[in-house]
Amino acid sequence: MKAALFLGLAASIGCIILCGLFLYWNPYSSTPLNERTIIIIYLMLILPACIGIIAALLKNRIIMYIVFSWSLPCALYLSIAKIPGIWNLFGIVLILYLISAILMKKTVST
């Protein structure tokens, strides 16, 4: 159960850090992002990451699955849009969300 907690927290905090880099210190672009992009990143990645922290602390696998599903489209796009790049770490964040939810399920059922 501690592994699920650690992975869930690592994924959520990692996602927030990556989003901060993407929004405010993007090493690949010097052009400022428009408002719509910022809103999308906040709604599709940062908000679910904050909920993911709560899900990890509550050890709630259903909420963690929701966080994974919610983040999937945007994080998957960012992870494959530029290969290789730092944004590929969004793919690892998705994997950590999923592993955390699976581990929560296994420990709850035993």
Side-chain angles (χ1 to χ4, degrees), residues 3-79:
L5 171 69
F6 174 76
L7 292 176
L9 289 175
S12 297
I13 293 169
C15 185
I16 292 170
I17 291 170
L18 281 172
C19 289
L21 287 174
F22 183 79
L23 292 173
Y24 304 110
W25 187 74
N26 190 340
Y28 300 108
S29 175
S30 60
T31 5
L33 299 172
N34 63 29
E35 286 183 33
R36 294 180 72 199
T37 304
I38 294 170
I39 291 170
I40 289 170
I41 295 297
Y42 271 94
L43 290 178
M44 295 298 292
L45 293 172
I46 295 176
L47 181 60
C50 294
I51 294 171
I53 291 172
I54 295 168
L57 293 174
L58 295 177
K59 299 171 184 79
N60 190 321
R61 71 177 192 269
I62 294 171
I63 296 175
M64 192 60 78
Y65 279 125
I66 291 170
V67 166
F68 168 74
S69 301
W70 188 351
S71 301
L72 183 65
C74 193
L76 189 62
Y77 172 76
L78 288 173
S79 69

Side-chain angles (χ1 to χ4, degrees), residues 28 75-91:
Y28 300 108
L76 189 62
Y77 172 76
L78 288 173
S79 69
I80 62 173
K82 177 157 176 45
I83 297 175
I86 192 171
W87 313 132
N88 301 131
L89 294 174
F90 279 111

Side-chain angles (χ1 to χ4, degrees), residues 77-104:
Y77 172 76
L78 288 173
S79 69
I80 62 173
K82 177 157 176 45
I83 297 175
I86 192 171
W87 313 132
N88 301 131
L89 294 174
F90 279 111
I92 294 174
V93 165
L94 288 174
I95 292 168
L96 292 178
Y97 280 145
L98 187 59
I99 292 172
S100 174
I102 290 169
L103 288 177
M104 285 179 195

